[in-house]
Amino acid sequence: MERYVLVPDSFKGTLTSQDICNIMRDEILRVRPSADVVAIPVADGGEGSVDAFLAALGGERIEVPCHGPYMEEITGFYGLLPDSTAVVEMAAAAGLPLAGNRLEPDQATTYGVGELMAAAAEGGAKRIILGLGGSATNDGGCGAAAALGSRFLDETGNVFVPTGGTLDRIAQIDPTGQRSLPEITVMCDIDNPLCGPMGASAVFGPQKGADTEMVARLDANLHHFAQIAARDLGVEIEQLPGAGAAGGMGGGAVAFWRGTLQMGIETVLNTVGFNNIVRGARVVFTGEGRLDSQSVRGKVIAGVGRRAKQVGTPVVAVVGSVGDGADGIYDLGVCSVFSINHVPEPFETAKLKSRENLRRTIRNIMGFLTAIMDMEEAYRE
């Protein structure tokens, strides 16, 4: 039985990864009704990551009482996969949408994320995938660490839970009460350091509500935290690539729990056993909203192309648009690229036709592939 593997990223603002998988599957089966179609919705670590993993692998979505970004009581969740891997997306407890109109990154906390991690460990998780993305916070993961048993002391010896605005009060970090956790893989698709002009506060602080003055204060506070972490935890994180993810939680995950920072697509492919799935497949379909030079640096299409190339399976990328610097993708295992937009028009207009355009594009590709396969079969006869 011929197999097709679908590993698309979302088309931001138009179609989710699951939407794209559904459309691709429908059109493939329309032309090749006996085909085996394997869909792997891609999670990038942000909102929707738990559901994407569950859709790809099965498992259970487990709801947990926890605290939101301003310590309000909420119901969060994590996913438990069949192999006892837990998927925790920090957006479920500290996400920007949970903050509503209250954009105060100096006061927001990751405390609830730590509660979700604790619940996953207590629920029998043998490994935790921690998704970073879409956070309202800038606390370096200290809130989560506090929820998991680390103590933060000020100069007078008082214990407190630091936020982005109070990291400078930390005089000592005492990790002796930290609860035991399984191996942690951190989904992190950026390489920003913790501090500086490319750090967490400067690059991502404004979208969380920080003005120029607050950005400078938050950056200085993360610098202070990094110094204390180096002294008390024995880990240098200030210039670590990826440490600036999610308000510094990338760095915190390494410092507090010795987490391994990994590109989101690599985490997905490793977790689903991609190399075995793709071996012998007819075609791998991947894609994202815009293919450009950033895509070549390690996003979904590049990651899928590299892996499929290792086993000799062709990869077709279906994208919304193609920008400058995209040609490098052909060196990474991608055979061809198709844009779903057939006429030049503004995004606001094109996005309304995304479903129809994607469906038509897959139908055309499959029509061509089927003609080639029919010719091959006739030649063999």
Side-chain angles (χ1 to χ4, degrees):
M1 180 183 295
E2 64 188 30
R3 186 183 327 122
Y4 296 84
V5 181
L6 318 178
V7 200
D9 198 355
S10 63
F11 286 12
K12 295 293 189 293
T14 56
L15 298 170
T16 68
S17 180
Q18 186 65 63
D19 290 334
I20 296 167
C21 285
N22 291 342
I23 292 170
M24 287 182 168
R25 179 193 284 112
D26 288 348
E27 292 305 318
I28 291 171
L29 293 177
R30 180 194 297 271
V31 179
R32 311 293 290 183
S34 63
D36 175 25
V37 181
V38 180
I40 306 171
V42 171
D44 62 4
E47 188 175 4
S49 294
V50 166
D51 291 338
F53 272 103
L54 293 178
L57 293 169
E60 184 180 3
R61 191 179 194 266
I62 300 173
E63 295 191 343
V64 179
C66 64
H67 291 85
Y70 299 109
M71 291 301 289
E72 68 278 24
E73 294 184 357
I74 65 170
T75 299
F77 58 87
Y78 68 91
L80 189 62
L81 305 181
D83 68 350
S84 296
T85 294
V87 182
V88 176
E89 61 182 62
M90 71 173 298
L96 202 55
L98 295 175
N101 295 325
R102 185 182 175 186
L103 300 180
E104 298 173 341
D106 58 332
Q107 298 182 40
T109 180
T110 56
Y111 194 91
V113 182
E115 293 176 310
L116 295 180
M117 294 169 68
E122 290 167 5
K126 297 178 181 177
R127 174 188 174 218
I128 294 176
I129 294 175
L130 177 61
L132 304 187
S135 77
T137 56
N138 210 88
D139 70 354
C142 290
L148 286 162
S150 287
R151 298 196 315 150
F152 298 85
L153 292 80
D154 63 18
E155 290 185 353
T156 62
N158 291 320
V159 177
F160 72 109
V161 178
T163 64
T166 60
L167 291 173
D168 60 333
R169 287 179 49 201
I170 301 173
Q172 180 186 352
I173 300 174
D174 174 13
T176 56
Q178 180 82 38
R179 70 156 296 142
S180 177
L181 293 173
E183 170 193 348
I184 296 179
T185 300
V186 186
M187 293 179 70
C188 174
D189 276 358
I190 63 170
D191 58 5
N192 300 69
L194 189 69
C195 304
M198 294 302 295
S201 307
V203 176
F204 305 108
Q207 69 193 42
K208 302 176 185 183
D211 58 19
T212 303
E213 180 182 353
M214 184 184 292
V215 164
R217 179 161 56 91
L218 292 174
D219 185 67
N221 288 357
L222 281 174
H223 170 68
H224 174 79
F225 161 60
Q227 291 182 312
I228 301 297
R231 185 194 70 194
D232 294 351
L233 305 178
V235 182
E236 297 280 352
I237 59 172
E238 186 161 355
Q239 294 303 318
L240 177 70
M249 191 152 183
V254 173
F256 293 116
W257 314 300
R258 302 304 190 264
T260 300
L261 301 182
Q262 189 175 77
M263 294 293 289
I265 186 57
E266 294 300 325
T267 304
V268 171
L269 299 182
N270 289 342
T271 303
V272 303
F274 179 78
N275 285 24
N276 290 329
I277 292 173
V278 77
R279 187 172 284 108
R282 173 70 69 173
V283 174
V284 177
F285 284 101
T286 184
E288 58 190 49
R290 179 176 174 81
L291 177 66
D292 55 23
S293 59
Q294 292 297 311
S295 308
V296 178
R297 292 182 60 187
K299 291 191 176 182
V300 170
I301 294 178
V304 171
R306 287 193 188 98
R307 290 291 193 94
K309 185 177 182 179
Q310 292 173 7
V311 296
T313 303
V315 175
V316 174
V318 181
V319 302
S321 63
V322 180
D324 293 339
D327 286 351
I329 205 69
Y330 297 112
D331 297 327
L332 303 179
V334 175
C335 299
S336 55
V337 176
F338 295 85
S339 170
I340 68 171
N341 294 306
H342 304 290
V343 295
E345 55 189 358
F347 173 71
E348 293 304 316
T349 301
K351 73 178 183 179
L352 302 176
K353 307 174 185 177
S354 293
R355 289 178 181 274
E356 174 188 344
N357 287 344
L358 174 60
R359 192 174 295 280
R360 182 186 298 114
T361 302
I362 298 299
R363 189 175 301 170
N364 286 336
I365 295 171
M366 287 305 302
F368 175 73
L369 290 177
T370 296
I372 295 296
M373 288 186 282
D374 289 346
M375 290 175 62
E376 290 175 345
E377 184 65 26
Y379 179 79
R380 284 194 292 268
E381 293 176 354

